[in-house]
Each structure stands twice: as structure tokens, then as C-alpha cells.
Amino acid sequence: MEYRKRVLVTGGAGFIGSHLCDFLLAAGYEVVCLDNFVTGSRRNIEEALGNSRFSLIEADVEKPVDISVDYIFHLASPASPVDYKRIPIRTMLSNSIGTYNCLELAKKTGARLLMGSTSEVYGDPQVSPQKEDYFGFVNPVGPRSCYDEGKRFAEALCKAYEKEHETEVVIVRIFNTYGRRMRRDDGRVIPNFVCQALENKPITIYGEGLQTRSFCHVADMIRGLEAAMLTTHTQGEIINLGNPREIRIIDLANIIKEKCSSKSPFVFSELPTDDPLQRRPDIEKAMRLLGWSPKVEIEEGLDDVIEWFRQRRNGR
Ligand code: UDP
């Protein structure tokens, strides 16, 4: 019988994790999804659950997991500011003890581990665009620190395992990603603006909306994650994945309002503490090492997300 590669996706019922599970199943892998449904949802894996190559472990990643695997994608963590500010301790534990458990499993099985890190390790960056060798500008005790420092610890732990045990690790810093299956209540800017615009409710702009982000469509992100995992010469590398097109939040609000033919007014409120003023990935390394670059333009990607939220409003 042909040996099928087995992949563990922690956080596999989350937004990015569930898209990754679908992609891996379509590519012929056996997929084990580990999730505690704290921020993920069963609905995201409804289709996958019907596939005989898919299995679900409903558990916290803070508990050790003992299965045989070839690849581990460690994505389990609350990832939206609203979520991680609500459950800061769990956020820190999924990135510290959770990463430790994944690394121990990688050490034991010889699996390769992809650590799903974040652009938040750069904090409120003082340089733009952000390259992987930038150390960041992070408040260690602010409202975002549970996530930022959790991921920074996770990265350092990966490096420690690489050094002491030669564990195969690749660290990917995921920049803002959007697409179908984002939760409408996760507080992030795209679901917020799209749902507000579709319902003709006020669009909530924090600060004056002059802060920037760069938004990557989830389909591009998944291709990048797969390439980072499967390209052998990424061993030990730290790679930014994101879309380098930078956009001001106020401009994003205008695009979404227009696309939804919305009558929503804009309401402005204070910029949250430590909200980064700019964020844009330098993706030269991903292009060079992985031959990867994002393809979906924000206008096209937004059409897809708007359509999805529209269907959900209509009960589909
Ligand atoms: N934002 C906003 N209105 C909202 C939600 C977010 O103006 O209703 C802003 C937020 O202050 C930040 C940017 O949009 O500057 C992106 O926020 P998000 O929570 O999506 O992700 P972040 O990049 O901050 O983790």
C-alpha cells in the first residue's frame, strides 16, 4: 500500500487552519486536526469531517499529543486582537506550552515543524517594509503583549530545539490575512467593515484611519505555507508571508463601502493602545526561497469575502 504522508494541523478548525486542512486533503495527505474550538469552529471543518483521510482531536494544544506524523503545522492560537485580549493567558500558553508540545512531538517523530508566527513580532515597527532580520519594536507588557511575546517566545523555543536537538523547523511570520470563514465577531477590520457596510451600520474607524496594513488573501497564504513546509532548503529559516500592497484603513473603509453600495456613515474612535501605525512585509525572501508571491488583489479578494458574508446573512 502506498504510504500517505500524515500532517498534524494544530488550530485546524480555525480560519487559516481549516483552509490548510482542505488544501492538504485535496493534495492527498492524511490530515489530523487538533483544535479546542475556543476560537475555531466545527462549521469550518464540516466538509473535511466527511473525508476518510481526515481526523479530529478535540483537545488543547497545551496538553501533550502523542501520534505519528510527518509534518506539523502549529497554528493553534487566538489571533485577533479582540480574541487575545479576552483570553490572554490561554494565548500565551498555546504559544509557549503548545509550541513546546509540538516541538517535543517533532523531536520524537522526526517530523518537520512549521511554526505559525506573526507580523506582530515586529510590534509597532519603526522601519518599513519589515524584513525578517528586523528585531521589532514591541511593548512587553501592553495589551498586545500576550500575543506578541507569546509568538516571540515560540520562535525562540523553535531555535533552541533546532540548536539542541537538530529539530527541523521553519518559522513563518504571517501578516494580515483575510478570506472566507473569518468570524464576523472576531473584531478584525475586514469582517467588521464588511458586516457593518452590508447592514448599513456605522463603519467603526479607529484613530483617523491613517494607520496601514497589508492584506493577503487566504488562498495565497495557504500556497505559501505549503511551499514553506515542503521546500527542503527552508530548514531553520524565518520567512515573512503576506501581501506587500499597503493600504490605509480609511481607504479600505471607502473601498468596502463602495463595493457594498452601502449608506454606512464613518464613525471615528480612539486608536487602541499599541495599535501598530504601519505594517508591510518585505517578501523578497519568500520569493527567492519559495518562488512564492501573492496573486489575489485586494479588490478581487474583497469581492469574495463580501459575497461570503452576504450569503451568511441570508442564512446560507
Ligand atoms: N480597525 C478599525 N476598525 C475596526 C477594526 C480594526 O479601524 O473595526 C483597525 C485597527 O485599529 C488596526 C487595523 O484596523 O489598525 C487592523 O486591525 P485588525 O484587528 O484587523 O488586525 P491587527 O493588524 O491590528 O492585528
Side-chain angles (χ1 to χ4, degrees):
M1 204 179 93
E2 189 201 343
Y3 175 71
R4 256 196 213 111
K5 296 261 185 197
R6 197 152 190 240
V7 188
L8 171 65
V9 181
T10 76
F15 160 52
I16 295 181
S18 64
H19 283 284
L20 181 64
C21 288
D22 288 345
F23 180 92
L24 293 168
L25 287 170
Y29 291 94
E30 198 178 316
V31 177
V32 182
C33 161
L34 185 144
D35 210 295
N36 59 7
F37 298 110
V38 166
T39 55
S41 96
R42 210 169 272 277
R43 192 166 177 180
N44 289 343
I45 52 169
E46 236 167 29
E47 221 181 290
L49 280 166
N51 190 314
S52 60
R53 283 183 282 108
F54 182 81
S55 55
L56 169 68
I57 303 175
E58 188 171 344
D60 292 332
V61 73
E62 292 94 296
K63 301 257 160 52
V65 48
D66 191 11
I67 54 172
S68 71
V69 278
D70 302 288
Y71 299 110
I72 304 167
F73 287 89
H74 180 33
L75 305 181
S77 169
S80 89
V82 164
D83 285 338
Y84 58 68
K85 285 176 192 170
R86 181 171 54 84
I87 40 173
I89 298 173
R90 295 194 89 151
T91 303
M92 295 206 78
L93 296 183
S94 59
N95 285 298
S96 51
I97 298 176
T99 303
Y100 168 73
N101 287 332
C102 290
L103 283 161
E104 279 294 306
L105 184 64
K107 185 180 118 194
K108 188 171 162 194
T109 57
R112 175 174 248 238
L113 175 98
L114 181 145
M115 173 64 215
S117 187
T118 170
S119 52
E120 281 284 330
V121 299
Y122 301 123
D124 187 8
Q126 310 292 291
V127 299
S128 186
Q130 293 84 53
K131 244 179 142 53
E132 290 86 350
D133 59 5
Y134 176 52
F135 292 169
F137 186 69
V138 178
N139 178 351
V141 290
R144 289 180 175 247
S145 62
C146 57
Y147 188 61
D148 302 10
E149 296 295 1
K151 292 289 187 188
R152 287 168 73 98
F153 176 89
E155 290 196 5
L157 194 62
C158 288
K159 284 287 157 194
Y161 267 75
E162 191 184 22
K163 193 155 186 254
E164 267 192 61
H165 300 299
E166 291 169 14
T167 312
E168 269 201 52
V169 176
V170 52
I171 295 168
V172 170
R173 293 185 179 147
I174 300 173
F175 281 64
N176 294 65
T177 303
Y178 68 100
R180 292 172 178 238
R181 296 185 186 158
M182 292 188 95
R183 289 190 349 253
R184 63 167 291 149
D185 64 347
D186 89 352
R188 277 187 275 207
V189 67
I190 289 186
N192 271 11
F193 285 3
V194 168
C195 294
Q196 291 160 349
L198 288 175
E199 290 162 17
N200 292 309
K201 290 190 176 148
I203 292 182
T204 53
I205 295 171
Y206 304 156
E208 291 171 53
L210 302 179
Q211 69 274 34
T212 68
R213 294 293 186 271
S214 308
F215 297 97
C216 183
H217 190 264
V218 67
D220 284 330
M221 182 55 60
I222 299 303
R223 279 194 302 110
L225 291 173
E226 190 223 13
M229 178 65 104
L230 294 185
T231 311
T232 44
H233 54 266
T234 54
Q235 162 62 25
E237 295 287 352
I238 298 162
I239 306 170
N240 286 339
L241 286 183
N243 190 316
R245 184 169 150 199
E246 191 174 8
I247 179 166
R248 294 187 314 175
I249 294 304
I250 184 85
D251 297 330
L252 177 74
N254 274 308
I255 297 173
I256 291 176
K257 181 173 170 175
E258 200 186 309
K259 280 187 175 293
C260 296
S261 311
S262 173
K263 297 188 186 64
S264 295
F266 289 168
V267 290
F268 294 86
S269 59
E270 217 176 303
L271 193 67
T273 310
D274 293 339
D275 196 293
L277 291 179
Q278 56 180 357
R279 189 181 288 150
R280 178 181 167 207
D282 181 316
I283 58 162
E284 183 277 327
K285 194 170 180 183
M287 289 166 71
R288 179 166 42 84
L289 287 183
L290 312 177
W292 174 89
S293 61
K295 305 257 179 289
V296 183
E297 287 296 337
I298 183 90
E299 287 78 8
E300 190 193 331
L302 282 175
D303 286 341
D304 179 50
V305 177
I306 291 168
E307 175 56 26
W308 191 73
F309 278 112
R310 206 174 249 143
Q311 284 172 11
R312 307 265 307 198
R313 278 183 67 229
N314 297 335
R316 271 181 285 155

